[in-house]
Amino acid sequence: MNDNTAAVSEIKRLLGESLPLAYVRSFGCQLNVSDGEKIKGLLRKMGYGFTEDESEADLIILNTCAVRENAEDRVFGIVGSMKKLKELKPSLIIGITGCMTAQSHVAEKIRQSYPQVDFVLGTSAISGLPKLLLGCLNGERFAVDISEYDDFSEEAEQVRESSFKASVPIMFGCNNFCTYCIVPYVRGRERSRRPEDIISEVAGLVRSGYKEIMLLGQNVNSYGSDLGGDMSFPQLLRRLNEIEGDFLIRFMSSHPKDASSELIDAIFECDKVAKHLHLPVQSGSDEILHRMNRRYTAEKYLGIADEIYRHDPDFSLTTDIIVGFPDESEEDFQATLDIMERVKFDNIYSFIYSKRTGTKAAEMADGVTDEEKSRRMRRLLELQRGISTEHYKRFIGKRMRVLVDDVSKKREGFVTGKSSEFIIVELEGSSSLIGSFVDVEITDAMNWAVIGKII
Ligand code: 5AD
Ligand code: SF4
């Protein structure tokens, strides 16, 4: 028995029949959400049940994100407000996990300013949770474990939120060091999971009825480069595509510098792989891309988009864009608007640049005011609204296969889902369709969704 299983058994014994409740909230990217599901997997083993209501929780875990400052501020705000909960229930245990904790200045701030926090657990150190928790249950005041990642944490079982959509991390960490990004500092270097583990996990999920598998990694295109070259990401896609069953394969994120023709061919040759690629461009200016250390040019990016549209003009591309990188000029920004107009993304996720202590960009001079950055953001969003409105019309009269995932919040008697292209589709139908694929014909388009009729 290792330390971890011993601590799990000890907690189980301590908790007895009491069925305490845990509230676990994850912020940020899907990898973090999947870490949150692993934390829940461990807690379940220890005898915890779960609640969505923090006021009835015996244990609160905030699984944090450090990518932008506003995500951190939100967590500090929430932790602050939890002081009251602790006063009402002194036995309440509060823990902070995730990327914020991997920055020593943040861990120190938590220790000094938020005495209501009982423990801090580092990203990728999830397997340390039972020991920390045991210490807290035994009355230890402030415990910290921000040790390096370990295999157990990465292979831990997830308690999945959905019964038909599953995320499957295929690799952890990042080697790219984009100059604005904190991820390589808080999640370490790239580590790929073994292909046989991924394939058997996906096969198991499909056997138990999952319809959508989302493969996750900071840059899935470099999957396998640390495994001695036996399996590349396109090869992994082909292997997963051979698994029997009716299911859809998605993946994110892809780095444009590694988006090869081999990848594009695999996407089009694998019938289970979605007709959608999320390919973060970040900026349309070669000067800014260079200073971001992205290692591609706008032309190279446009070449990838062209190659994809040659295969299928209806294919869907989405992207991430950073507005207001240090000293971004009006011309640089205009180049971003230009690339948006040329590629015609179906959707963009745009962020105002946020300075992250410890990154290279944090040292760069920045003469652009906050007002100007906000103004650029509004211009960018307005342009995208127009592009989506026009571009979504290409689907009218066409067929789409939709995985229904919820009832519509906008229309009575409608449900909503995502097409293979990752477009939101609203269609008339009852909640009994949730979790199944339906074929629809598209009758109308808006700038955020299309309307379909079941065929
Ligand atoms: N400021 C703003 N956006 C950022 N992103 C990453 N780091 C920062 C930062 N410091 C964005 C990038 C990335 C997405 C996940 O978050 O666009 O693709
Ligand atoms: Fe951050 Fe760049 Fe790595 Fe993405 S590829 S996680 S933006 S460093």
Side-chain angles (χ1 to χ4, degrees):
M1 206 183 329
N2 65 26
D3 272 9
N4 181 41
T5 35
V8 169
S9 314
E10 181 58 17
I11 291 176
K12 243 182 133 165
R13 197 189 59 74
L14 267 180
L15 297 177
E17 302 290 302
S18 61
L19 195 72
L21 293 175
Y23 168 89
V24 180
R25 176 159 174 200
S26 292
F27 299 81
C29 69
Q30 297 199 45
L31 265 166
N32 211 40
V33 172
S34 125
D35 281 350
E37 293 182 346
K38 288 179 186 168
I39 289 173
K40 282 185 153 183
L42 262 178
L43 290 174
R44 189 171 57 186
K45 278 195 188 145
M46 295 177 225
Y48 279 89
F50 300 105
T51 175
E52 298 292 313
D53 175 1
E54 64 235 55
S55 69
E56 63 174 25
D58 303 286
L59 167 66
I60 292 178
I61 294 187
L62 300 177
N63 186 32
T64 62
C65 168
V67 163
R68 283 171 292 275
E69 194 178 4
N70 54 9
E72 292 192 350
D73 289 346
R74 247 172 90 205
V75 169
F76 283 129
I78 294 169
V79 181
S81 71
M82 282 176 175
K83 201 170 172 187
K84 269 210 199 80
L85 288 179
K86 189 108 176 190
E87 281 163 11
L88 290 171
K89 191 195 268 185
S91 64
L92 171 66
I93 296 174
I94 300 177
I96 314 276
T97 64
C99 291
M100 271 171 75
T101 64
Q103 308 166 89
S104 48
H105 66 280
V106 177
E108 197 44 42
K109 177 171 170 183
I110 295 171
R111 181 203 289 275
Q112 291 198 347
S113 314
Y114 299 92
Q116 62 270 44
V117 174
D118 296 283
F119 70 88
V120 170
L121 178 67
T123 317
S124 331
I126 294 165
S127 66
L129 177 63
K131 263 180 90 177
L132 280 191
L133 204 49
L134 185 59
C136 294
L137 287 167
N138 285 328
E140 244 170 63
R141 242 216 29 82
F142 188 79
V144 187
D145 178 357
I146 45 175
S147 53
E148 281 286 286
Y149 57 85
D150 57 72
D151 290 350
F152 175 82
S153 298
E154 296 183 347
E155 292 300 328
E157 203 182 309
Q158 293 168 234
V159 169
R160 297 182 180 281
E161 301 287 332
S162 162
S163 58
F164 55 93
K165 285 197 217 181
S167 62
V168 175
I170 62 167
M171 59 193 297
F172 306 93
C174 181
N175 290 354
N176 290 308
F177 289 95
C178 302
T179 55
Y180 50 81
C181 186
I182 196 75
V183 168
Y185 303 92
V186 293
R187 287 200 173 254
R189 296 294 70 71
E190 282 175 8
R191 294 136 0 238
S192 301
R193 284 179 71 196
R194 293 187 317 167
E196 50 281 23
D197 293 345
I198 298 169
I199 293 165
S200 76
E201 183 176 347
V202 172
L205 288 165
V206 172
R207 269 198 309 278
S208 41
Y210 281 87
K211 296 285 191 289
E212 180 185 294
I213 306 294
M214 171 69 89
L215 308 174
L216 296 178
Q218 303 297 344
N219 173 21
V220 293
N221 294 350
S222 66
Y223 172 80
S225 48
D226 55 330
L227 295 177
D230 286 346
M231 176 85 68
S232 66
F233 183 61
Q235 285 168 330
L236 180 69
L237 279 182
R238 289 178 194 276
R239 290 288 301 278
L240 295 171
N241 194 61
E242 283 165 13
I243 295 173
E244 296 261 330
D246 187 14
F247 69 102
L248 188 67
I249 303 169
R250 298 191 186 279
F251 56 88
M252 71 188 304
S253 273
S254 289
H255 196 305
K257 79 175 165 57
D258 302 315
S260 60
S261 295
E262 200 196 344
L263 171 74
I264 295 170
D265 291 345
I267 292 174
F268 287 101
E269 284 164 28
C270 294
D271 58 326
K272 288 170 182 144
V273 174
K275 295 181 197 145
H276 163 237
L277 182 64
H278 182 68
L279 197 63
V281 66
Q282 312 298 359
S283 169
S285 151
D286 286 346
E287 163 67 20
I288 296 286
L289 287 172
H290 177 70
R291 289 204 286 117
M292 286 177 163
N293 189 32
R294 292 289 287 176
R295 286 171 282 167
Y296 55 84
T297 58
E299 195 181 314
K300 150 109 181 169
Y301 191 97
L302 286 166
I304 302 169
D306 284 346
E307 188 175 340
I308 288 171
Y309 289 146
R310 268 200 302 279
H311 278 274
D312 177 2
D314 287 339
F315 194 88
S316 171
L317 285 169
T318 57
T319 204
D320 292 345
I321 293 178
I322 294 179
V323 174
F325 186 76
D327 273 351
E328 177 192 65
S329 67
E330 172 60 29
E331 293 72 52
D332 292 322
F333 177 63
Q334 192 58 52
T336 298
L337 300 182
D338 289 347
I339 206 166
M340 287 166 60
E341 283 194 278
R342 288 189 59 186
V343 177
K344 300 211 183 315
F345 296 107
D346 277 311
N347 213 340
I348 59 167
Y349 302 86
S350 47
F351 314 99
I352 291 187
Y353 168 74
S354 169
K355 185 172 173 171
R356 307 284 59 214
T357 305
T359 61
K360 283 223 169 100
E363 311 296 318
M364 295 179 190
D366 189 2
V368 191
T369 62
D370 289 350
E371 294 73 45
E372 177 56 20
K373 292 184 187 202
S374 302
R375 210 170 61 81
R376 286 182 190 167
M377 181 60 118
R378 285 196 296 276
R379 286 167 64 195
L380 179 132
L381 291 174
E382 196 181 318
L383 174 67
Q384 183 56 36
R385 211 168 300 127
I387 292 173
S388 297
T389 307
E390 271 312 298
H391 207 40
Y392 277 25
K393 287 186 185 151
R394 75 190 185 283
F395 294 119
I396 295 178
K398 296 209 169 126
R399 287 178 170 210
M400 276 180 161
R401 189 144 196 258
V402 180
L403 177 58
V404 179
D405 56 21
D406 208 348
V407 290
S408 167
K409 308 252 180 322
K410 312 237 175 194
R411 287 177 181 72
E412 186 83 11
F414 276 64
V415 287
T416 180
K418 287 259 170 61
S419 73
S420 169
E421 296 83 355
F422 210 58
I423 302 286
I424 299 174
V425 184
E426 300 249 314
L427 54 123
E428 207 170 338
S430 75
S431 58
S432 62
L433 292 174
I434 294 174
S436 51
F437 285 114
V438 288
D439 288 313
V440 299
E441 186 182 316
I442 303 308
T443 55
D444 204 357
M446 296 159 290
N447 64 11
W448 58 274
V450 296
I451 308 283
K453 215 171 83 195
I454 298 184
I455 300 168

